[in-house]
Amino acid sequence: EKKKAAREKERKAKEKSAEAKFTADTEIDISQEYTNLALNQQAEQKDTVSTRTASKAVDGNRDGNWSGKSLSSTRSKNGWWRVTLSKVYYISYIDVYNRMDKSQERLRNAQLSLDGTLIGTIPQVSGVQKYTFPVDKDGQVVQIKGVSGQKLQLAEVEVYGRGSESKSGEYVLKVMCDDTSTIYIDGEKKDVPGPNNWGQLATLKIPASTNTIGIQCHNGGGSCGITAEVTDETGQVLLVSDNSWKCSNKEEDGWTADGFTEDDSWKPAAENQPFITGCYLSDERAWKGMSMDKKVIWTENKDSTVYCRRELPQGKYTLRQGRDPQDSPNGAVTWYPMRDGSWKEDSKTQKAEKKKVAREKERK
């Protein structure tokens, strides 16, 4: 009996420690008000016990008792449950509520995912009903997969985010190419009016969560060049075509997608070469209104076909054009925002910040 009591004491201590660690690891910013986007949305699960349908977990009732008739439950072991939001939203965090009257271990180590990407696993601590998972990304489909070898039972799943589509809305990409272009967003080819005419502006709305812009441009003879601009919903210029873009004269697998490794053939874009389409630098014709900070870019040599790409920092890491007489006496440069609110030149900090983000991702 003494050994049994000691083991029970040790078990509770471990659970308390696990709960404290889980709470510390899942701190979220609650300074903003968010809406439960999952409430009464379309839910489904692998199979169902009696009337314990998937919709019970998004009915707004957190009652964790079976007698309350508000629990969802699968019939099979290691079942799954999911809710599909009405559209893609920015999601700040997700709260998962467990059954409380008994069988809490059925949720142990269940896997929570968003659009197929694992967000975290549920530790299932005795006496704890709510588990909070920070998300901080856009998404639509939330799924929970049981792995305990038992039925999957949920009291409630609440998905908190902003009531507008996506975290930061949409950006607008404008492109001029002499002569014909193909535009890629995160590896996906886009059908855009205007890419087959050097004098016609190609305009495309892109998600604010875009990682990579790729532009393929073919020149049929004479002058050549690419100009581009990205603006936010307010019309503020976030980035323009300049030597922060990388260009190559050869096409490689994956060059349009995020995570592509650039070899020595990818050089900083050459700006305003003698052979470029000079009128692109003016504020007239189809490109009137584009930022005058833009440069006409190409490869150093007058290659007939070039491939230019630009990776965009995520979340609050957005680019801007600016002038700072103290730090940049030579005029316009591209800036990169740091976590402390300061701005540094993109060319000097982008790689360091990418490595930092990669390390943080690996740590998590």
Side-chain angles (χ1 to χ4, degrees):
E1 285 297 315
K2 283 184 178 180
K3 287 181 180 179
K4 184 177 180 181
R7 287 195 299 269
E8 181 66 13
K9 184 178 180 180
E10 182 181 4
R11 183 186 66 80
K12 288 183 177 180
K14 286 182 178 180
E15 286 186 350
K16 187 174 182 180
S17 175
E19 180 182 0
K21 182 179 184 302
F22 181 78
T23 301
D25 290 345
T26 56
E27 290 182 355
I28 59 172
D29 178 13
I30 58 174
S31 61
Q32 303 186 53
E33 292 185 2
Y34 297 105
T35 303
N36 178 14
L37 305 170
L39 183 63
N40 296 322
Q41 294 300 303
Q42 178 184 348
E44 55 185 330
Q45 57 191 14
K46 183 175 181 180
D47 45 33
T48 301
V49 172
S50 185
T51 60
R52 311 297 172 143
T53 60
S55 62
K56 298 289 186 181
V58 288
D59 61 0
N61 189 345
R62 301 171 180 170
D63 189 350
N65 297 313
W66 186 263
S67 60
K69 298 182 179 180
S70 184
L71 292 173
S72 69
S73 178
T74 63
R75 181 176 297 278
S76 58
K77 299 176 181 179
N78 293 340
W80 53 264
W81 176 96
R82 74 167 68 102
V83 60
T84 302
L85 307 181
S86 60
K87 57 184 178 182
V88 176
Y89 287 97
Y90 165 67
I91 299 173
S92 175
Y93 62 96
I94 298 173
D95 284 341
V96 179
Y97 289 81
N98 195 7
R99 179 178 179 176
M100 290 302 292
D101 56 349
K102 59 183 293 187
S103 305
Q104 294 179 25
E105 71 282 356
R106 292 178 176 176
L107 201 58
R108 186 185 300 276
N109 296 327
Q111 299 170 346
L112 173 68
S113 62
L114 176 66
D115 292 340
T117 300
L118 182 67
I119 299 299
T121 58
I122 299 173
Q124 196 275 306
V125 181
S126 296
V128 176
Q129 185 184 22
K130 184 177 79 169
Y131 300 92
T132 299
F133 294 86
V135 179
D136 192 29
K137 62 187 296 185
D138 295 347
Q140 184 173 17
V141 180
V142 176
Q143 178 168 302
I144 297 175
K145 176 71 170 65
V147 296
S148 66
Q150 302 185 59
K151 300 174 183 178
L152 178 65
Q153 297 178 332
L154 299 165
E156 193 73 10
V157 178
E158 298 174 352
V159 181
Y160 286 95
R162 295 200 182 102
S164 59
E165 189 171 0
S166 84
K167 180 176 182 178
S168 306
E170 292 179 317
Y171 293 160
V172 176
L173 169 65
K174 296 179 180 179
V175 175
M176 296 295 303
C177 162
D178 189 353
D179 290 297
T180 61
S181 66
T182 305
I183 299 173
Y184 300 87
I185 302 299
D186 289 338
E188 182 180 349
K189 181 180 177 181
K190 296 296 183 179
D191 294 324
V192 188
N196 296 318
N197 186 331
W198 75 271
Q200 187 173 351
L201 181 68
T203 303
L204 173 68
K205 288 186 177 181
I206 63 175
S209 57
T210 295
N211 291 307
T212 305
I213 298 172
I215 302 173
Q216 174 185 336
C217 186
H218 174 73
N219 176 249
S223 60
C224 55
I226 298 171
T227 59
E229 172 189 274
V230 176
T231 56
D232 64 14
E233 293 173 309
T234 67
Q236 179 182 358
V237 177
L238 302 178
L239 65 88
V240 296
S241 50
D242 56 20
N243 62 9
S244 66
W245 291 63
K246 294 293 184 66
C247 296
S248 175
N249 61 0
K250 66 176 184 179
E251 184 175 15
E252 298 182 65
D253 290 341
W255 75 274
T256 62
D258 184 36
F260 172 72
T261 302
E262 299 167 349
D263 61 22
D264 292 339
S265 68
W266 291 88
K267 307 289 186 182
E271 299 178 344
N272 301 345
Q273 295 288 81
F275 51 75
I276 59 101
T277 309
C279 58
Y280 280 174
L281 293 173
S282 65
D283 187 22
E284 58 183 20
R285 302 175 69 167
W287 50 92
K288 183 177 182 179
M290 289 182 70
S291 172
M292 293 303 292
D293 288 326
K294 69 182 183 298
K295 303 293 190 297
V296 183
I297 62 173
W298 204 256
T299 50
E300 290 184 354
N301 301 315
K302 194 178 178 182
D303 297 299
S304 59
T305 302
V306 300
Y307 308 88
C308 295
R309 65 192 308 271
R310 183 67 160 90
E311 293 186 358
L312 284 70
Q314 285 300 291
K316 59 186 177 183
Y317 295 94
T318 53
L319 296 171
R320 73 174 183 183
Q321 294 291 320
R323 292 180 184 270
D324 189 314
Q326 211 170 17
D327 296 335
S328 181
N330 295 324
V333 297
T334 303
W335 293 90
Y336 197 76
M338 308 300 288
R339 290 185 182 276
D340 61 3
S342 63
W343 294 80
K344 294 186 178 180
E345 288 187 38
D346 178 45
S347 59
K348 294 181 180 179
T349 60
Q350 189 173 12
K351 288 185 178 180
E353 283 298 306
K354 281 186 178 180
K355 288 181 180 179
K356 186 176 181 180
V357 171
R359 288 197 299 270
E360 181 67 9
K361 183 178 180 181
E362 182 180 5
R363 182 191 68 79
K364 288 182 178 179

